[in-house]
Amino acid sequence: MSDEPLPSPSDVGDYYDRTTHLMNDALGGNTHLGYWPHPHDGSALGAASDRLTDNAIAKLCCSSGDRILDLGCGSGRPAVRLALAEPVEVVGVTISRVQVRMATALAEQAGVADRVRFLHADAMDLPFDDASFDAVWALECLFHMPSVSRVLRETARVLRPGGLLVATDLVWREDRPREDKHSDIGSLGTVFAVPAITPLRDYARTVTDAGFLLKEFTDIGDDVIAPSYAALIEHVQERVEDYAAAFGSSAEDIRSFAAHLTRNDAARGIGYVSLSAVRAV
């Protein structure tokens, strides 16, 4: 295992300060991967990313006036999409100040700034009162947290009893060799500000131990990971100079890194959990 220190919340914030504009370009304004329930439908990555958002919106089952917390809100597109679809209030939090500015501008542009706002905050120490939200969603952000269990406990704290959690997250599947897990976290974790990825076999228990009752728990990785990674690697190859600037590297290093991910099948052994859970009363 690498001796590199695990990324801190400030490291995650710095990573997204540097890379969000590139992710937005690749992902149609989002910072989460795409979803292809019909893999050969020809959808572009941005459209597939919006589809994942819409899938999460459907799981929220919102009522008029509900107050929704968006953990790891990115540059605001999912929160704005939710507010345009449902008559709810959304509060988004991110550790990236650049994302706060981008998300705030997007809400104003979309005409929903009266119901959608964004704050710079750490999801492990949320600045909200107990039981102050009707639902929480966390789209592909928990793997950036130094402690997923702590974030889930904070989520349970700010949810009203019976409130709903909807989340997606990267996981290690059972068939991934232990040495590969250690190698990838050591080499890639620092690059992408990932402290750790929870094994699939442990994830459901982590959620229930935090005070939730699971409603739905599905690994949809086959419809998310490989096609998203292939599209992202292609985007990196098309925008090599921009990625080199964002990562403070050379164009040649970025090309080599993309080739390494392709040769070693970056998606191998990685799953993608979609879950909904109710805060226990």
PDB file of all heavy atoms in Angstrom, residues 176 180 183-189 191-192 229 233 236-237 252-268:
ATOM      1  N   ARG A 176     -12.838  -8.310  -6.722  1.00  0.00           N
ATOM      2  CA  ARG A 176     -11.635  -7.513  -6.963  1.00  0.00           C
ATOM      3  C   ARG A 176     -10.501  -7.986  -6.065  1.00  0.00           C
ATOM      4  O   ARG A 176     -10.643  -8.039  -4.838  1.00  0.00           O
ATOM      5  CB  ARG A 176     -11.902  -6.030  -6.702  1.00  0.00           C
ATOM      6  CG  ARG A 176     -10.731  -5.151  -7.165  1.00  0.00           C
ATOM      7  CD  ARG A 176     -11.110  -3.685  -7.136  1.00  0.00           C
ATOM      8  NE  ARG A 176     -10.028  -2.864  -7.612  1.00  0.00           N
ATOM      9  CZ  ARG A 176      -9.795  -2.593  -8.892  1.00  0.00           C
ATOM     10  NH1 ARG A 176     -10.580  -3.088  -9.799  1.00  0.00           N
ATOM     11  NH2 ARG A 176      -8.781  -1.821  -9.252  1.00  0.00           N
ATOM     12  N   ASP A 180      -5.038  -5.454  -5.897  1.00  0.00           N
ATOM     13  CA  ASP A 180      -5.456  -4.419  -6.831  1.00  0.00           C
ATOM     14  C   ASP A 180      -6.096  -3.259  -6.098  1.00  0.00           C
ATOM     15  O   ASP A 180      -5.898  -2.109  -6.432  1.00  0.00           O
ATOM     16  CB  ASP A 180      -6.458  -4.989  -7.848  1.00  0.00           C
ATOM     17  CG  ASP A 180      -5.760  -5.811  -8.920  1.00  0.00           C
ATOM     18  OD1 ASP A 180      -4.525  -5.924  -8.844  1.00  0.00           O
ATOM     19  OD2 ASP A 180      -6.453  -6.327  -9.808  1.00  0.00           O
ATOM     20  N   SER A 183      -3.351  -1.219  -4.548  1.00  0.00           N
ATOM     21  CA  SER A 183      -2.573  -0.538  -5.569  1.00  0.00           C
ATOM     22  C   SER A 183      -3.322   0.666  -6.122  1.00  0.00           C
ATOM     23  O   SER A 183      -2.766   1.748  -6.264  1.00  0.00           O
ATOM     24  CB  SER A 183      -2.243  -1.519  -6.701  1.00  0.00           C
ATOM     25  OG  SER A 183      -1.604  -0.841  -7.756  1.00  0.00           O
ATOM     26  N   ASP A 184      -4.604   0.491  -6.423  1.00  0.00           N
ATOM     27  CA  ASP A 184      -5.360   1.576  -7.025  1.00  0.00           C
ATOM     28  C   ASP A 184      -5.574   2.724  -6.049  1.00  0.00           C
ATOM     29  O   ASP A 184      -5.489   3.884  -6.420  1.00  0.00           O
ATOM     30  CB  ASP A 184      -6.713   1.067  -7.534  1.00  0.00           C
ATOM     31  CG  ASP A 184      -6.567   0.311  -8.854  1.00  0.00           C
ATOM     32  OD1 ASP A 184      -5.439   0.267  -9.365  1.00  0.00           O
ATOM     33  OD2 ASP A 184      -7.571  -0.230  -9.335  1.00  0.00           O
ATOM     34  N   ILE A 185      -5.893   2.411  -4.808  1.00  0.00           N
ATOM     35  CA  ILE A 185      -6.078   3.487  -3.844  1.00  0.00           C
ATOM     36  C   ILE A 185      -4.760   4.227  -3.636  1.00  0.00           C
ATOM     37  O   ILE A 185      -4.726   5.447  -3.528  1.00  0.00           O
ATOM     38  CB  ILE A 185      -6.602   2.936  -2.507  1.00  0.00           C
ATOM     39  CG1 ILE A 185      -8.065   2.537  -2.669  1.00  0.00           C
ATOM     40  CG2 ILE A 185      -6.479   3.950  -1.400  1.00  0.00           C
ATOM     41  CD1 ILE A 185      -8.976   3.681  -3.065  1.00  0.00           C
ATOM     42  N   GLY A 186      -3.654   3.494  -3.613  1.00  0.00           N
ATOM     43  CA  GLY A 186      -2.384   4.160  -3.417  1.00  0.00           C
ATOM     44  C   GLY A 186      -2.020   5.080  -4.557  1.00  0.00           C
ATOM     45  O   GLY A 186      -1.594   6.211  -4.353  1.00  0.00           O
ATOM     46  N   SER A 187      -2.194   4.627  -5.791  1.00  0.00           N
ATOM     47  CA  SER A 187      -1.741   5.416  -6.937  1.00  0.00           C
ATOM     48  C   SER A 187      -2.788   6.381  -7.451  1.00  0.00           C
ATOM     49  O   SER A 187      -2.477   7.499  -7.837  1.00  0.00           O
ATOM     50  CB  SER A 187      -1.316   4.476  -8.068  1.00  0.00           C
ATOM     51  OG  SER A 187      -2.400   3.679  -8.493  1.00  0.00           O
ATOM     52  N   LEU A 188      -4.057   5.949  -7.487  1.00  0.00           N
ATOM     53  CA  LEU A 188      -5.110   6.781  -8.051  1.00  0.00           C
ATOM     54  C   LEU A 188      -5.829   7.609  -7.001  1.00  0.00           C
ATOM     55  O   LEU A 188      -6.381   8.659  -7.304  1.00  0.00           O
ATOM     56  CB  LEU A 188      -6.132   5.911  -8.795  1.00  0.00           C
ATOM     57  CG  LEU A 188      -5.583   5.025  -9.907  1.00  0.00           C
ATOM     58  CD1 LEU A 188      -6.714   4.330 -10.633  1.00  0.00           C
ATOM     59  CD2 LEU A 188      -4.747   5.830 -10.874  1.00  0.00           C
ATOM     60  N   GLY A 189      -5.835   7.140  -5.769  1.00  0.00           N
ATOM     61  CA  GLY A 189      -6.564   7.851  -4.727  1.00  0.00           C
ATOM     62  C   GLY A 189      -6.056   9.262  -4.529  1.00  0.00           C
ATOM     63  O   GLY A 189      -6.835  10.195  -4.351  1.00  0.00           O
ATOM     64  N   VAL A 191      -4.437  11.070  -6.831  1.00  0.00           N
ATOM     65  CA  VAL A 191      -4.715  11.834  -8.042  1.00  0.00           C
ATOM     66  C   VAL A 191      -6.150  12.347  -8.050  1.00  0.00           C
ATOM     67  O   VAL A 191      -6.419  13.503  -8.367  1.00  0.00           O
ATOM     68  CB  VAL A 191      -4.460  10.959  -9.292  1.00  0.00           C
ATOM     69  CG1 VAL A 191      -4.896  11.689 -10.558  1.00  0.00           C
ATOM     70  CG2 VAL A 191      -2.987  10.580  -9.382  1.00  0.00           C
ATOM     71  N   PHE A 192      -7.107  11.474  -7.691  1.00  0.00           N
ATOM     72  CA  PHE A 192      -8.524  11.816  -7.781  1.00  0.00           C
ATOM     73  C   PHE A 192      -9.154  12.165  -6.429  1.00  0.00           C
ATOM     74  O   PHE A 192     -10.371  12.256  -6.329  1.00  0.00           O
ATOM     75  CB  PHE A 192      -9.294  10.663  -8.424  1.00  0.00           C
ATOM     76  CG  PHE A 192      -8.872  10.378  -9.834  1.00  0.00           C
ATOM     77  CD1 PHE A 192      -8.285   9.167 -10.170  1.00  0.00           C
ATOM     78  CD2 PHE A 192      -9.032  11.329 -10.829  1.00  0.00           C
ATOM     79  CE1 PHE A 192      -7.890   8.905 -11.473  1.00  0.00           C
ATOM     80  CE2 PHE A 192      -8.633  11.083 -12.138  1.00  0.00           C
ATOM     81  CZ  PHE A 192      -8.056   9.869 -12.457  1.00  0.00           C
ATOM     82  N   TYR A 229     -16.459   5.449 -18.034  1.00  0.00           N
ATOM     83  CA  TYR A 229     -15.000   5.559 -18.026  1.00  0.00           C
ATOM     84  C   TYR A 229     -14.453   5.652 -19.447  1.00  0.00           C
ATOM     85  O   TYR A 229     -13.515   6.415 -19.713  1.00  0.00           O
ATOM     86  CB  TYR A 229     -14.387   4.363 -17.293  1.00  0.00           C
ATOM     87  CG  TYR A 229     -14.371   4.499 -15.792  1.00  0.00           C
ATOM     88  CD1 TYR A 229     -15.292   5.320 -15.137  1.00  0.00           C
ATOM     89  CD2 TYR A 229     -13.460   3.814 -15.010  1.00  0.00           C
ATOM     90  CE1 TYR A 229     -15.294   5.438 -13.759  1.00  0.00           C
ATOM     91  CE2 TYR A 229     -13.450   3.930 -13.628  1.00  0.00           C
ATOM     92  CZ  TYR A 229     -14.368   4.750 -13.015  1.00  0.00           C
ATOM     93  OH  TYR A 229     -14.361   4.864 -11.652  1.00  0.00           O
ATOM     94  N   ILE A 233     -12.237   8.803 -20.644  1.00  0.00           N
ATOM     95  CA  ILE A 233     -10.880   8.657 -21.164  1.00  0.00           C
ATOM     96  C   ILE A 233     -10.765   9.289 -22.547  1.00  0.00           C
ATOM     97  O   ILE A 233      -9.778   9.957 -22.875  1.00  0.00           O
ATOM     98  CB  ILE A 233     -10.475   7.168 -21.183  1.00  0.00           C
ATOM     99  CG1 ILE A 233     -10.264   6.676 -19.748  1.00  0.00           C
ATOM    100  CG2 ILE A 233      -9.205   6.966 -21.993  1.00  0.00           C
ATOM    101  CD1 ILE A 233     -10.046   5.183 -19.626  1.00  0.00           C
ATOM    102  N   VAL A 236     -10.481  12.979 -22.030  1.00  0.00           N
ATOM    103  CA  VAL A 236      -9.125  13.331 -21.606  1.00  0.00           C
ATOM    104  C   VAL A 236      -8.196  13.385 -22.820  1.00  0.00           C
ATOM    105  O   VAL A 236      -7.386  14.317 -22.963  1.00  0.00           O
ATOM    106  CB  VAL A 236      -8.598  12.317 -20.572  1.00  0.00           C
ATOM    107  CG1 VAL A 236      -7.106  12.535 -20.315  1.00  0.00           C
ATOM    108  CG2 VAL A 236      -9.380  12.436 -19.262  1.00  0.00           C
ATOM    109  N   GLN A 237      -8.310  12.405 -23.687  1.00  0.00           N
ATOM    110  CA  GLN A 237      -7.447  12.368 -24.872  1.00  0.00           C
ATOM    111  C   GLN A 237      -7.703  13.553 -25.802  1.00  0.00           C
ATOM    112  O   GLN A 237      -6.785  14.031 -26.465  1.00  0.00           O
ATOM    113  CB  GLN A 237      -7.646  11.041 -25.594  1.00  0.00           C
ATOM    114  CG  GLN A 237      -7.128   9.841 -24.797  1.00  0.00           C
ATOM    115  CD  GLN A 237      -7.575   8.519 -25.357  1.00  0.00           C
ATOM    116  OE1 GLN A 237      -8.590   8.421 -26.057  1.00  0.00           O
ATOM    117  NE2 GLN A 237      -6.822   7.460 -25.054  1.00  0.00           N
ATOM    118  N   GLU A 252       2.297  14.857 -21.939  1.00  0.00           N
ATOM    119  CA  GLU A 252       2.766  13.487 -22.133  1.00  0.00           C
ATOM    120  C   GLU A 252       2.398  12.601 -20.943  1.00  0.00           C
ATOM    121  O   GLU A 252       2.004  11.441 -21.101  1.00  0.00           O
ATOM    122  CB  GLU A 252       4.276  13.468 -22.352  1.00  0.00           C
ATOM    123  CG  GLU A 252       4.835  12.089 -22.663  1.00  0.00           C
ATOM    124  CD  GLU A 252       4.158  11.437 -23.857  1.00  0.00           C
ATOM    125  OE1 GLU A 252       3.840  12.147 -24.838  1.00  0.00           O
ATOM    126  OE2 GLU A 252       3.938  10.210 -23.802  1.00  0.00           O
ATOM    127  N   ASP A 253       2.510  13.155 -19.726  1.00  0.00           N
ATOM    128  CA  ASP A 253       2.123  12.386 -18.541  1.00  0.00           C
ATOM    129  C   ASP A 253       0.631  12.063 -18.563  1.00  0.00           C
ATOM    130  O   ASP A 253       0.219  10.970 -18.175  1.00  0.00           O
ATOM    131  CB  ASP A 253       2.468  13.154 -17.272  1.00  0.00           C
ATOM    132  CG  ASP A 253       3.958  13.109 -16.953  1.00  0.00           C
ATOM    133  OD1 ASP A 253       4.655  12.250 -17.530  1.00  0.00           O
ATOM    134  OD2 ASP A 253       4.406  13.932 -16.137  1.00  0.00           O
ATOM    135  N   ILE A 254      -0.190  13.013 -18.997  1.00  0.00           N
ATOM    136  CA  ILE A 254      -1.628  12.775 -19.061  1.00  0.00           C
ATOM    137  C   ILE A 254      -1.938  11.700 -20.097  1.00  0.00           C
ATOM    138  O   ILE A 254      -2.756  10.799 -19.855  1.00  0.00           O
ATOM    139  CB  ILE A 254      -2.377  14.081 -19.393  1.00  0.00           C
ATOM    140  CG1 ILE A 254      -2.202  15.095 -18.253  1.00  0.00           C
ATOM    141  CG2 ILE A 254      -3.859  13.808 -19.647  1.00  0.00           C
ATOM    142  CD1 ILE A 254      -2.806  14.663 -16.929  1.00  0.00           C
ATOM    143  N   ARG A 255      -1.274  11.762 -21.259  1.00  0.00           N
ATOM    144  CA  ARG A 255      -1.485  10.724 -22.277  1.00  0.00           C
ATOM    145  C   ARG A 255      -1.086   9.351 -21.741  1.00  0.00           C
ATOM    146  O   ARG A 255      -1.784   8.359 -21.955  1.00  0.00           O
ATOM    147  CB  ARG A 255      -0.667  11.057 -23.527  1.00  0.00           C
ATOM    148  CG  ARG A 255      -1.175  12.247 -24.326  1.00  0.00           C
ATOM    149  CD  ARG A 255      -0.466  12.341 -25.672  1.00  0.00           C
ATOM    150  NE  ARG A 255      -0.835  13.570 -26.370  1.00  0.00           N
ATOM    151  CZ  ARG A 255      -0.141  14.692 -26.316  1.00  0.00           C
ATOM    152  NH1 ARG A 255       0.971  14.755 -25.580  1.00  0.00           N
ATOM    153  NH2 ARG A 255      -0.544  15.769 -26.974  1.00  0.00           N
ATOM    154  N   SER A 256       0.027   9.289 -21.042  1.00  0.00           N
ATOM    155  CA  SER A 256       0.496   8.020 -20.486  1.00  0.00           C
ATOM    156  C   SER A 256      -0.468   7.491 -19.436  1.00  0.00           C
ATOM    157  O   SER A 256      -0.739   6.284 -19.367  1.00  0.00           O
ATOM    158  CB  SER A 256       1.896   8.189 -19.875  1.00  0.00           C
ATOM    159  OG  SER A 256       2.842   8.551 -20.851  1.00  0.00           O
ATOM    160  N   PHE A 257      -0.988   8.404 -18.616  1.00  0.00           N
ATOM    161  CA  PHE A 257      -1.929   8.005 -17.571  1.00  0.00           C
ATOM    162  C   PHE A 257      -3.214   7.459 -18.190  1.00  0.00           C
ATOM    163  O   PHE A 257      -3.736   6.425 -17.763  1.00  0.00           O
ATOM    164  CB  PHE A 257      -2.230   9.199 -16.670  1.00  0.00           C
ATOM    165  CG  PHE A 257      -3.058   8.857 -15.468  1.00  0.00           C
ATOM    166  CD1 PHE A 257      -2.555   8.033 -14.475  1.00  0.00           C
ATOM    167  CD2 PHE A 257      -4.332   9.368 -15.311  1.00  0.00           C
ATOM    168  CE1 PHE A 257      -3.308   7.718 -13.360  1.00  0.00           C
ATOM    169  CE2 PHE A 257      -5.098   9.060 -14.206  1.00  0.00           C
ATOM    170  CZ  PHE A 257      -4.580   8.231 -13.220  1.00  0.00           C
ATOM    171  N   ALA A 258      -3.739   8.135 -19.220  1.00  0.00           N
ATOM    172  CA  ALA A 258      -4.946   7.659 -19.894  1.00  0.00           C
ATOM    173  C   ALA A 258      -4.700   6.300 -20.528  1.00  0.00           C
ATOM    174  O   ALA A 258      -5.559   5.402 -20.469  1.00  0.00           O
ATOM    175  CB  ALA A 258      -5.399   8.669 -20.945  1.00  0.00           C
ATOM    176  N   ALA A 259      -3.529   6.126 -21.119  1.00  0.00           N
ATOM    177  CA  ALA A 259      -3.200   4.833 -21.720  1.00  0.00           C
ATOM    178  C   ALA A 259      -3.094   3.745 -20.660  1.00  0.00           C
ATOM    179  O   ALA A 259      -3.531   2.609 -20.869  1.00  0.00           O
ATOM    180  CB  ALA A 259      -1.885   4.941 -22.502  1.00  0.00           C
ATOM    181  N   HIS A 260      -2.531   4.091 -19.501  1.00  0.00           N
ATOM    182  CA  HIS A 260      -2.434   3.140 -18.393  1.00  0.00           C
ATOM    183  C   HIS A 260      -3.820   2.689 -17.941  1.00  0.00           C
ATOM    184  O   HIS A 260      -4.064   1.490 -17.726  1.00  0.00           O
ATOM    185  CB  HIS A 260      -1.683   3.785 -17.225  1.00  0.00           C
ATOM    186  CG  HIS A 260      -1.796   3.036 -15.937  1.00  0.00           C
ATOM    187  ND1 HIS A 260      -1.059   1.904 -15.657  1.00  0.00           N
ATOM    188  CD2 HIS A 260      -2.571   3.257 -14.840  1.00  0.00           C
ATOM    189  CE1 HIS A 260      -1.378   1.458 -14.459  1.00  0.00           C
ATOM    190  NE2 HIS A 260      -2.292   2.264 -13.934  1.00  0.00           N
ATOM    191  N   LEU A 261      -4.753   3.642 -17.794  1.00  0.00           N
ATOM    192  CA  LEU A 261      -6.101   3.292 -17.375  1.00  0.00           C
ATOM    193  C   LEU A 261      -6.781   2.388 -18.401  1.00  0.00           C
ATOM    194  O   LEU A 261      -7.509   1.459 -18.045  1.00  0.00           O
ATOM    195  CB  LEU A 261      -6.931   4.560 -17.164  1.00  0.00           C
ATOM    196  CG  LEU A 261      -6.504   5.468 -16.011  1.00  0.00           C
ATOM    197  CD1 LEU A 261      -7.432   6.677 -15.927  1.00  0.00           C
ATOM    198  CD2 LEU A 261      -6.490   4.719 -14.689  1.00  0.00           C
ATOM    199  N   THR A 262      -6.532   2.663 -19.676  1.00  0.00           N
ATOM    200  CA  THR A 262      -7.132   1.843 -20.728  1.00  0.00           C
ATOM    201  C   THR A 262      -6.550   0.435 -20.719  1.00  0.00           C
ATOM    202  O   THR A 262      -7.290  -0.555 -20.760  1.00  0.00           O
ATOM    203  CB  THR A 262      -6.902   2.490 -22.106  1.00  0.00           C
ATOM    204  OG1 THR A 262      -7.468   3.806 -22.102  1.00  0.00           O
ATOM    205  CG2 THR A 262      -7.549   1.672 -23.203  1.00  0.00           C
ATOM    206  N   ARG A 263      -5.231   0.328 -20.643  1.00  0.00           N
ATOM    207  CA  ARG A 263      -4.575  -0.989 -20.652  1.00  0.00           C
ATOM    208  C   ARG A 263      -4.988  -1.828 -19.460  1.00  0.00           C
ATOM    209  O   ARG A 263      -5.174  -3.040 -19.564  1.00  0.00           O
ATOM    210  CB  ARG A 263      -3.045  -0.819 -20.635  1.00  0.00           C
ATOM    211  CG  ARG A 263      -2.430  -0.386 -21.937  1.00  0.00           C
ATOM    212  CD  ARG A 263      -0.915  -0.595 -21.881  1.00  0.00           C
ATOM    213  NE  ARG A 263      -0.316   0.030 -20.712  1.00  0.00           N
ATOM    214  CZ  ARG A 263       0.151   1.274 -20.695  1.00  0.00           C
ATOM    215  NH1 ARG A 263       0.033   2.042 -21.764  1.00  0.00           N
ATOM    216  NH2 ARG A 263       0.706   1.764 -19.604  1.00  0.00           N
ATOM    217  N   ASN A 264      -5.127  -1.181 -18.313  1.00  0.00           N
ATOM    218  CA  ASN A 264      -5.405  -1.917 -17.080  1.00  0.00           C
ATOM    219  C   ASN A 264      -6.886  -1.978 -16.739  1.00  0.00           C
ATOM    220  O   ASN A 264      -7.244  -2.390 -15.638  1.00  0.00           O
ATOM    221  CB  ASN A 264      -4.616  -1.299 -15.917  1.00  0.00           C
ATOM    222  CG  ASN A 264      -3.124  -1.527 -16.061  1.00  0.00           C
ATOM    223  OD1 ASN A 264      -2.626  -2.597 -15.731  1.00  0.00           O
ATOM    224  ND2 ASN A 264      -2.425  -0.542 -16.587  1.00  0.00           N
ATOM    225  N   ASP A 265      -7.748  -1.546 -17.666  1.00  0.00           N
ATOM    226  CA  ASP A 265      -9.194  -1.666 -17.509  1.00  0.00           C
ATOM    227  C   ASP A 265      -9.630  -1.019 -16.203  1.00  0.00           C
ATOM    228  O   ASP A 265      -9.930  -1.691 -15.209  1.00  0.00           O
ATOM    229  CB  ASP A 265      -9.624  -3.128 -17.557  1.00  0.00           C
ATOM    230  CG  ASP A 265     -11.137  -3.288 -17.549  1.00  0.00           C
ATOM    231  OD1 ASP A 265     -11.840  -2.263 -17.669  1.00  0.00           O
ATOM    232  OD2 ASP A 265     -11.612  -4.423 -17.435  1.00  0.00           O
ATOM    233  N   ALA A 266      -9.669   0.319 -16.190  1.00  0.00           N
ATOM    234  CA  ALA A 266      -9.945   1.075 -14.965  1.00  0.00           C
ATOM    235  C   ALA A 266     -11.268   0.694 -14.319  1.00  0.00           C
ATOM    236  O   ALA A 266     -11.443   0.863 -13.113  1.00  0.00           O
ATOM    237  CB  ALA A 266      -9.946   2.573 -15.283  1.00  0.00           C
ATOM    238  N   ALA A 267     -12.208   0.169 -15.114  1.00  0.00           N
ATOM    239  CA  ALA A 267     -13.533  -0.170 -14.569  1.00  0.00           C
ATOM    240  C   ALA A 267     -13.567  -1.532 -13.901  1.00  0.00           C
ATOM    241  O   ALA A 267     -14.559  -1.860 -13.240  1.00  0.00           O
ATOM    242  CB  ALA A 267     -14.571  -0.128 -15.692  1.00  0.00           C
ATOM    243  N   ARG A 268     -12.494  -2.312 -14.023  1.00  0.00           N
ATOM    244  CA  ARG A 268     -12.535  -3.694 -13.540  1.00  0.00           C
ATOM    245  C   ARG A 268     -12.749  -3.768 -12.039  1.00  0.00           C
ATOM    246  O   ARG A 268     -12.020  -3.166 -11.261  1.00  0.00           O
ATOM    247  CB  ARG A 268     -11.227  -4.405 -13.909  1.00  0.00           C
ATOM    248  CG  ARG A 268     -11.181  -5.878 -13.514  1.00  0.00           C
ATOM    249  CD  ARG A 268      -9.971  -6.562 -14.142  1.00  0.00           C
ATOM    250  NE  ARG A 268      -8.726  -5.967 -13.678  1.00  0.00           N
ATOM    251  CZ  ARG A 268      -8.043  -6.429 -12.619  1.00  0.00           C
ATOM    252  NH1 ARG A 268      -8.507  -7.439 -11.922  1.00  0.00           N
ATOM    253  NH2 ARG A 268      -6.918  -5.851 -12.266  1.00  0.00           N
TER     254      ARG A 268
END
